[in-house]
Amino acid sequence: MSDSYFGELMVIGMRGCEKFIDQVDFYLKEWRRHGDDEATFVMTADCPRFGTGEGKGIIHSSMRGRDVYIICDCFNHGVTYEMYGQEVPMSPDDHYADLKRTIAAMAGKAKRITLIMPMLYEGRQHKRSARESLDCAIMLQELASMGVSNIITFDAHDPRVSNAIPLTGFDSIRPTYQMLKALVRAVPDISLSGDDIMIISPDEGAMSRTMYYATVLGLDLGMFYKRRDYTRVVNGKNPIVAHEYLGKDLNGKDAIIIDDMISSGESIIDVARQIKEKGAKRIFFFVAFGLFTAGFDLFDKAYQEGLFTKCFTTNLVYHPDGLLEKEWYTEVNMCKYVAIIIDTLNKDESISTLLNPVKKIHTILDEHSKKMDTQLKINPDAE
């Protein structure tokens, strides 16, 4: 091993991350081992279950001196285990428990442990509104106490939760570059001029991520805020009464609605409906995590009604069966980006440029603008 590496690289994928890990491993091998198909940076770790549902973590290789990267999707309900003779889908709690078991099985022998948890476990429970548990903060403190030295997540619901672990590395990465790259590929006639498109925040909580898009792209920003009924609690939250819009005229413009997650989808579809009523032309969703907890029916119906044109989500979390076949859906593949992060950190180099890809975004914009200009010269009537 070269002295330029922090330690011997080892990647562990928790249950449900197998396909993602295989692609990450492919890039690492391509960069480091030049086509040796037998070589791999992935190490097997198991969490078998007893008949009662109790589990244990097992590591099949020595961890001494290794620079370990664990990838964990706590929201993959497509994997199951057997408990009392029944097949039980793994909940976020089950995934998190297995993650702790795997770290515990290393027995403190790894040189460094970096956790890549794309969507933070309990990330929506980031602040206390009443007599409530602060689950995300407790999770971060537990992992830090177990020896995790760095936690990497994507588009955290509220990145300020990192205040719970001020002496531990914490990075929340936004997939801005990858989203825009996917957009110009999937919709080649899209105009990213301020006269033709606007960025929309679906609520006040999404303002920071939408402000970044609007600033980098030089576009106007519109915002919705949620009026909630605080006298009732439905499915653990106060139901939304209405979405109110604040911003410039949308008539005749395309719009990009940006959020961190799609749960049932009711909220983002309601925002899209109101934008359509205000005269928006095409509507695109940029969402880091597509959970689709209520299935696809709502989106199928909204697409048929013309409420939106494309929905972009990353492959950082589990995709329900059938999603990739939807005409309205485009996947944003993050495997290569995660592999670059792992490769860079293993060399003990800075990832600052990876966290702020403004130059790469402007390169995409310039290339797309040139293509649009070329198309107009070939077909002047296209405008």
Side-chain angles (χ1 to χ4, degrees), residues 75 92 119-129 132-137 139 155-158 161 235-237 260-265 289 291 293:
F75 298 86
M119 183 174 173
L120 275 182
Y121 169 75
E122 293 288 1
R124 284 183 282 184
Q125 187 55 23
H126 62 283
K127 63 182 179 181
R128 178 174 283 147
S129 300
E132 299 175 341
S133 58
L134 291 173
D135 297 57
C136 190
M139 178 269 293
D155 215 349
H157 194 69
D158 189 339
V161 74
N235 294 327
K237 57 186 179 182
D260 59 334
M261 74 179 74
I262 289 174
S263 185
S264 67
F289 310 113
L291 304 176
T293 57

Side-chain angles (χ1 to χ4, degrees), residues 152-171:
I152 295 173
T153 189
F154 287 81
D155 215 349
H157 194 69
D158 189 339
R160 290 174 296 183
V161 74
S162 63
N163 291 335
I165 48 169
L167 301 181
T168 301
F170 182 96
D171 292 297

Side-chain angles (χ1 to χ4, degrees), residues 1-6 346-348:
M1 183 186 70
S2 170
D3 292 336
S4 62
Y5 297 127
F6 181 82
N346 182 234
K347 294 174 181 175
D348 222 19

Side-chain angles (χ1 to χ4, degrees), residues 145-339:
S145 70
M146 294 182 75
V148 175
S149 58
N150 194 32
I151 296 172
I152 295 173
T153 189
F154 287 81
D155 215 349
H157 194 69
D158 189 339
R160 290 174 296 183
V161 74
S162 63
N163 291 335
I165 48 169
L167 301 181
T168 301
F170 182 96
D171 292 297
S172 176
I173 304 171
R174 290 173 179 158
T176 311
Y177 167 70
Q178 290 79 8
M179 287 286 184
L180 291 170
K181 188 176 180 180
L183 174 66
V184 298
R185 286 181 175 178
V187 191
D189 66 336
I190 189 75
S191 171
L192 295 173
S193 164
D195 295 329
D196 302 317
I197 194 167
M198 278 184 65
I199 301 296
I200 302 296
S201 175
D203 56 43
E204 58 276 22
M207 278 298 291
S208 62
R209 61 180 64 90
T210 49
M211 286 173 62
Y212 181 81
Y213 275 92
T215 302
V216 170
L217 297 176
L219 301 178
D220 288 329
L221 171 64
M223 170 192 157
F224 281 82
Y225 69 91
K226 297 174 180 176
R227 285 200 292 116
R228 294 180 179 272
D229 182 356
Y230 288 100
T231 64
R232 296 185 299 136
V233 175
V234 179
N235 294 327
K237 57 186 179 182
N238 300 110
I240 299 168
V241 176
H243 289 92
E244 305 289 352
Y245 177 69
L246 299 173
K248 290 188 176 181
D249 185 16
L250 282 159
N251 189 46
K253 292 185 178 182
D254 291 335
I256 303 175
I257 303 174
I258 297 169
D259 211 349
D260 59 334
M261 74 179 74
I262 289 174
S263 185
S264 67
E266 291 180 2
S267 179
I268 200 167
I269 293 297
D270 184 49
V271 168
R273 179 174 285 105
Q274 292 198 46
I275 290 175
K276 268 295 182 184
E277 291 173 355
K278 296 179 186 299
K281 191 166 58 174
R282 293 179 297 183
I283 298 174
F284 306 96
F285 301 153
F286 278 11
V287 183
F289 310 113
L291 304 176
F292 301 101
T293 57
F296 307 129
D297 291 347
L298 184 65
F299 285 84
D300 289 337
K301 183 179 179 182
Y303 180 69
Q304 290 166 7
E305 293 176 7
L307 295 183
F308 74 100
T309 300
K310 282 285 182 183
C311 175
F312 297 84
T313 75
T314 71
N315 65 335
L316 290 167
V317 294
Y318 171 69
H319 284 163
D321 291 340
L323 178 61
L324 296 177
E325 287 72 45
K326 296 295 182 181
E327 185 180 359
W328 47 263
Y329 179 75
T330 297
E331 180 185 79
V332 180
N333 194 310
M334 300 293 292
C335 295
K336 187 174 183 179
Y337 186 58
V338 170

Side-chain angles (χ1 to χ4, degrees), residues 23-40:
Q23 291 187 57
V24 170
D25 191 42
F26 168 81
Y27 288 113
L28 291 172
K29 290 190 295 184
E30 187 177 67
W31 300 332
R32 295 191 176 194
R33 292 185 175 169
H34 310 292
D36 182 358
D37 292 334
E38 298 299 320
T40 180

